[in-house]
Amino acid sequence: TPLRRMFFRTLVQSLLPGLQMIYSLNVHEMKITITLLLLLLMSDIVALAQDAKIITELNGPYLGQKPPGMIPEIFAEGIISTSAMENNIVFADDGREIYIERTDSAHKGLFLYRWSESGWQEPVRIEFIDDGGQAHPTYNAHIRTLVTMRRSKAATQPSNPELSIRKREGCNWSTSKLVAQGMQGCITDNGVIYTTIIDFSRKFFGHIARFIPDGDGYKGPEFLPAIINHPDFSTELPTVAPDESFMIF
């Protein structure tokens, strides 16, 4: 029930700061407790979606919408594309889940549409409980990885936002891992993250850079050559093909 999930969410949030200390005690019973709490944490988003009402007239992946072909069309007008400001739509689970940022006078945040056995559900606002942020999501279905952005927590400000990744694990998402800095990230099949690095000394002048997997972490930023990063104008928000064969910016 919603009250039960609210209780467990509050419990997990209160215990997260002490998890590292509990691990260090190396006590078998405590490890079991941590495992149960993490399972509750990972299942929270899906459980929230299961309470949503059904949009009965819609069925099939991608909200039952037909591909537009070579002529662009507004996607799911009145459902996804509304009078609110919407951006950064993400399709996951072979089109059975849709994540989108939405901002209007009544709503602000990341919303999930989910296709169940009964049909598409009305959107629910979701929040990842970890500290990886959820702004400007992008997703690579081949490696089942979600990239999100959060405001920088660096001591020196202004500073570039921070990028985190989450792995898709069954019907849930893993805990976020901070991997890079930049304004919105796009991840390739090889795990390379392309993003925009803002030069605050030039009034938010941006250049495209990439972060390359290196062991358990990432190295970078590695700025793209001048054919992309022209010295006289800002280059921003790259969308890169999964195989890095082309880029739109």
Side-chain angles (χ1 to χ4, degrees):
T1 66
L3 287 176
R4 180 171 58 87
R5 284 195 301 277
M6 184 180 297
F7 167 76
F8 282 124
R9 189 186 304 116
T10 304
L11 177 62
V12 171
Q13 288 176 322
S14 66
L15 292 178
L16 280 176
L19 286 182
Q20 186 175 359
M21 180 183 68
I22 295 175
Y23 270 120
S24 67
L25 294 177
N26 196 29
V27 179
H28 180 69
E29 290 79 3
M30 290 185 175
K31 287 185 176 180
I32 294 176
T33 302
I34 294 170
T35 300
L36 290 173
L37 288 172
L38 291 178
L39 286 173
L40 288 167
L41 175 68
M42 293 172 61
S43 65
D44 190 64
I45 290 174
V46 173
L48 283 173
Q50 289 173 345
D51 283 342
K53 296 180 180 179
I54 300 297
I55 307 175
T56 56
E57 68 271 18
L58 297 175
N59 199 15
Y62 303 99
L63 273 171
Q65 305 297 293
K66 295 181 180 179
M70 296 301 295
I71 300 176
E73 299 178 13
I74 296 176
F75 179 74
E77 189 170 6
I79 302 170
I80 296 292
S81 302
T82 68
S83 58
M85 183 178 73
E86 292 133 349
N87 61 303
N88 285 73
I89 189 169
V90 166
F91 298 98
D93 195 19
D94 295 326
R96 290 173 170 81
E97 289 183 358
I98 299 176
Y99 297 81
I100 187 169
E101 286 186 284
R102 176 172 288 143
T103 302
D104 61 19
S105 58
H107 306 93
K108 181 178 181 181
L110 185 63
F111 290 81
L112 166 63
Y113 293 77
R114 188 167 182 266
W115 185 29
S116 68
E117 293 181 356
S118 303
W120 278 95
Q121 298 170 340
E122 290 184 345
V124 291
R125 186 177 183 275
I126 65 170
E127 291 186 5
F128 293 105
I129 300 178
D130 60 50
D131 199 25
Q134 58 189 38
H136 300 305
T138 61
Y139 182 63
N140 184 316
H142 297 161
I143 59 174
R144 300 171 67 82
T145 300
L146 181 75
V147 183
T148 55
M149 188 185 79
R150 74 176 187 187
R151 183 174 299 177
S152 172
K153 296 188 176 182
T156 303
Q157 296 291 343
S159 182
N160 277 278
E162 297 170 339
L163 300 174
S164 297
I165 59 173
R166 294 179 177 88
K167 294 286 188 178
R168 184 74 174 185
E169 297 177 347
C171 296
N172 305 297
W173 298 101
S174 69
T175 302
S176 66
K177 179 180 180 181
L178 186 64
V179 294
Q181 289 183 316
M183 180 70 71
Q184 184 173 312
C186 180
I187 191 167
T188 70
D189 287 351
N190 293 326
V192 178
I193 296 176
Y194 286 78
T195 186
T196 302
I197 301 294
I198 302 298
D199 182 354
F200 292 100
S201 68
R202 300 184 64 183
K203 295 183 179 180
F204 301 101
F205 196 89
H207 277 326
I208 295 174
R210 64 180 190 171
F211 290 81
I212 301 173
D214 183 26
D216 293 332
Y218 275 77
K219 61 181 180 181
E222 177 185 291
F223 287 92
L224 300 192
I227 192 173
I228 299 294
N229 288 322
H230 194 281
D232 295 332
F233 57 83
S234 181
T235 49
E236 301 174 8
L237 305 182
T239 298
V240 183
D243 61 358
E244 299 181 83
S245 59
F246 68 88
M247 178 173 63
I248 302 172
F249 62 95

